[in-house]
Amino acid sequence: MAFRRPAHRRIFGGTGVRSLVTALALAGLVGMAAAESRPPPAPAPVLEIDDAAYVGTHADPTGVAVFRGVPFAAAPVGEHRWRPPAPLPSRPGRHEALRFAPACIQGGYMGDWYRGVVAGFGGDPAAVVDPPESEDCLYLNVWRPAGETGDAGDAPLPVIVFIHGGGNAGGWSWEPNYDGQHLAAQGFVVVTIAYRLGVFGFFSHPDEPHANFGLLDQVAALRWIHTHADALGADVDRITVMGESSGGNNIVHLMALPAARDLFQRAVVQSAGWALRETPLKADQDPAGLALQEAVLGAGSTLRALRAADTDAVFAAARSTHASRGYDPVVDGVSLSESVFQSVNGGRLAPVDLLIGSNRDEWLMYLPEAPTLADLTDQGLPEAARAPATRLLEDGERMARTLDRVVTAWQMVCPSLHLAAAVARQGNDSWVYWFTRQREGDMAATLGAYHGAELPYVFDTHDAWLPTDADDRRLTARINAYWTAFARTGDPNPGAQTGIRTPPWPAYRGDGDDVQRLDTVIEPVHHPEWPLCADLGVRAMGPPDAPDPPGGP
């Protein structure tokens, strides 16, 4: 159960009013009077998409209109498995949009991560329930202010499109922290999207030219928003894509993807960046596809037969045939013709403004109980990373903190700073943050500012098991103000009209300066890990390839 702001209500003071209410209560008339004066319920909101009408509801407590489980592409099953997303067939008539659609196939991947975090904060992990799963999963969810219909005369609203994380192997568009109602209530159309995961979304095979199906699903969702902008009440010239972890990493790929060019103007990338290390080649991943085919159907089988194979059998076989490869996009020569690193350094990114950053303790929760320097190579870092780690230890840093800092810098901080500087060189604006807020309490100290810790502040969705105090709520208001200002204008500084005091956030130009630290005290700082990034080679991304985080958002 997530924390929610109380619904707005007017408090009438004065003993006269209280006495009258008391008298009516004693007379048994309060209920009758309230029933007679209560306004009729607002009609259910309707989203008209071509010849289909999706009937939604109003979110509690904000009252914004919400449409859950709206399809944006054909079901990627049968002949559509391992193909680019196909257009949605006609769906004439009225359809309920009251329930979220099943998550894409993942085998409980994210549920296990959530249970670990809940337990880490002293909550009951049994409270985390895995979502239903299906290959038929290309659906999205829409929140928008009540009364915004997209009719002529309504001013179109800026759009925030959220792409969930989960290592491209797990996650779903309606995790509790991704509830879009509080953002929508501030004058946005908020869309959270699904995309194919794991072996169904990122699959290479020599008989299929495409490989980045999950990435193409994200493009299809953005195109759907453009196509139906009038019905959504959406301003297609103010679309911000926002993602965390692998969702943010996918956005970095979208910035380099020709098919996504002109589909968004701003990007928010949270706790990602390793896309700059190296983008694998499809030819190097094709053998895993052939191995899967043989494991499911035996020697002499075909990709066509594999497309018709049982979902569970394919997923089970992939656990072994794809165990040594992650599920990042690849250079397939069709959707991606070069690595992200080449696009970044060649100045060929989409011309978008960027808000990007990392948390202080991204990797702490993923370390073994008794870590050693040998764990650096196990986490995908080169042998050369031992030298800066050894220096930190010699300076008195604890082993766990040393490994957390080095892996976090390698995977996220350093490539993010590199990307921010590259965007600025191309002529767009970059804004960099460093999230260091640690929740109160002894249990919170074991996780620090962990991977995904900023999400409840962005969406204002603090879970009941998270220790949340007045400082956290103040920080929520400020982060909300920064993020929504950026989505409106490309500049996170909201101005005085919001009524929320936010310290000025300078644009990033490079060299680790002017990074906004987000904590109980907010201030621009020189990034504390900039020297470590220099030791690790921030100016020379490239190989070796680093794996995805081993779980989490």
Side-chain angles (χ1 to χ4, degrees):
M1 187 69 178
F3 167 82
R4 295 288 183 269
R5 289 197 191 108
H8 176 73
R9 56 194 178 106
R10 180 179 295 172
I11 305 298
F12 293 93
T15 57
V17 173
R18 287 197 181 97
S19 298
L20 177 59
V21 171
T22 301
L24 288 170
L26 291 173
L29 299 177
V30 169
M32 183 184 301
E36 290 176 354
S37 63
R38 186 182 298 127
V46 178
L47 180 61
E48 295 185 356
I49 302 295
D50 296 328
D51 54 359
Y54 295 95
V55 182
T57 187
H58 294 283
D60 180 34
T62 59
V64 304
V66 55
F67 305 91
R68 303 179 178 102
V70 178
F72 66 85
V77 299
E79 277 300 305
H80 292 302
R81 180 188 281 175
W82 298 316
R83 295 191 192 277
L88 183 70
S90 176
R91 302 183 82 227
R94 291 173 71 85
H95 307 272
E96 281 193 351
L98 305 177
R99 297 173 182 81
F100 295 112
C104 294
I105 298 293
Q106 57 195 266
Y109 180 90
M110 277 301 297
D112 292 340
W113 184 87
Y114 272 114
R115 280 182 279 273
V117 177
V118 173
F121 277 101
D124 180 9
V128 178
V129 179
D130 292 324
E133 300 178 14
S134 174
E135 264 197 274
D136 179 5
C137 63
L138 297 186
Y139 297 81
L140 50 75
N141 315 297
V142 178
W143 290 262
R144 70 182 185 198
E148 297 291 339
T149 64
D151 295 335
D154 288 339
L157 299 175
V159 184
I160 296 173
V161 182
F162 185 73
I163 302 174
H164 70 78
N168 284 340
W172 58 96
S173 65
W174 44 277
E175 293 173 38
N177 285 148
Y178 309 155
D179 187 319
Q181 63 171 310
H182 294 297
L183 293 175
Q186 298 175 63
F188 290 88
V189 176
V190 178
V191 184
T192 63
I193 67 175
Y195 57 97
R196 281 172 281 182
L197 301 169
V199 71
F200 297 101
F202 299 88
F203 173 74
S204 297
H205 191 285
D207 294 337
E208 169 54 51
H210 289 91
N212 302 317
F213 308 103
L215 202 61
L216 295 177
D217 293 340
Q218 296 162 36
V219 173
L222 289 168
R223 291 194 185 283
W224 185 93
I225 292 168
H226 275 255
T227 300
H228 303 295
D230 288 345
L232 294 167
D235 184 349
V236 296
D237 293 322
R238 289 190 293 168
I239 294 180
T240 299
V241 289
M242 179 168 73
E244 188 266 349
S245 193
S246 61
N249 214 49
N250 288 335
I251 289 173
V252 178
H253 284 92
L254 292 176
M255 292 169 65
L257 197 73
R261 206 171 188 89
D262 302 324
L263 292 180
F264 57 98
Q265 295 76 37
R266 293 159 198 144
V268 178
V269 176
Q270 300 169 201
S271 301
W274 62 91
L276 272 69
R277 289 295 175 193
E278 184 179 30
T279 308
L281 299 177
K282 177 181 180 295
D284 293 335
Q285 306 296 331
D286 282 347
L290 290 172
L292 177 72
Q293 179 177 303
E294 183 170 350
V296 176
L297 299 173
S301 58
T302 64
L303 177 60
R304 181 176 182 180
L306 190 60
R307 284 193 167 104
D310 176 72
T311 301
D312 292 339
V314 171
F315 183 76
R319 290 182 183 274
S320 58
T321 61
H322 286 64
S324 62
R325 61 150 296 185
Y327 290 113
D328 276 335
V330 302
V331 176
D332 59 5
V334 184
S335 57
L336 277 176
S337 58
E338 63 179 2
S339 71
V340 171
F341 176 71
Q342 291 171 318
S343 296
V344 169
N345 283 15
R348 291 183 291 275
L349 293 175
V352 300
D353 296 321
L354 176 68
L355 190 157
I356 190 169
S358 312
N359 300 350
R360 186 188 60 208
D361 305 300
E362 301 276 10
W363 218 261
L364 189 58
M365 67 168 63
Y366 300 123
L367 295 174
E369 289 187 9
T372 68
L373 282 178
D375 291 310
L376 286 174
T377 52
D378 292 341
Q379 301 296 330
L381 272 68
E383 185 65 27
R386 279 179 175 258
T390 300
R391 284 193 289 273
L392 290 176
L393 290 170
E394 291 172 348
D395 289 341
E397 193 73 89
R398 293 180 298 109
M399 178 64 75
R401 179 67 184 131
T402 292
L403 298 188
D404 175 32
R405 287 182 62 185
V406 172
V407 181
T408 295
W410 174 265
Q411 291 274 38
M412 298 167 190
V413 174
C414 307
S416 293
L417 292 172
H418 186 87
L419 178 61
V423 167
R425 285 196 303 271
Q426 279 194 199
N428 285 88
D429 289 327
S430 288
W431 314 84
V432 178
Y433 71 87
W434 178 233
F435 181 89
T436 61
R437 172 61 178 164
Q438 178 179 297
R439 302 271 179 165
E440 296 299 325
D442 293 340
M443 289 186 171
T446 65
L447 293 176
Y450 59 91
H451 189 57
E454 84 289 357
L455 285 166
Y457 297 88
V458 172
F459 284 91
D460 190 7
T461 51
H462 298 277
D463 299 276
W465 44 267
L466 280 171
T468 305
D469 61 17
D471 285 337
D472 294 305
R473 294 190 176 94
R474 273 191 294 271
L475 183 57
T476 299
R478 289 175 166 185
I479 288 179
N480 239 244
Y482 283 137
W483 262 241
T484 54
F486 177 79
R488 282 194 181 93
T489 68
D491 184 335
N493 294 288
Q497 68 272 15
T498 63
I500 298 172
R501 186 174 176 273
T502 53
W505 186 338
Y508 186 76
R509 294 290 175 254
D511 298 327
D513 288 326
D514 296 326
V515 171
Q516 197 79 334
R517 184 168 73 97
L518 300 176
D519 207 322
T520 51
V521 174
I522 297 177
E523 59 185 349
V525 298
H526 182 75
H527 204 297
E529 302 297 20
W530 180 252
L532 180 55
C533 286
D535 286 345
L536 290 170
V538 70
R539 295 179 183 86
M541 292 289 103
D545 189 27
D548 288 356

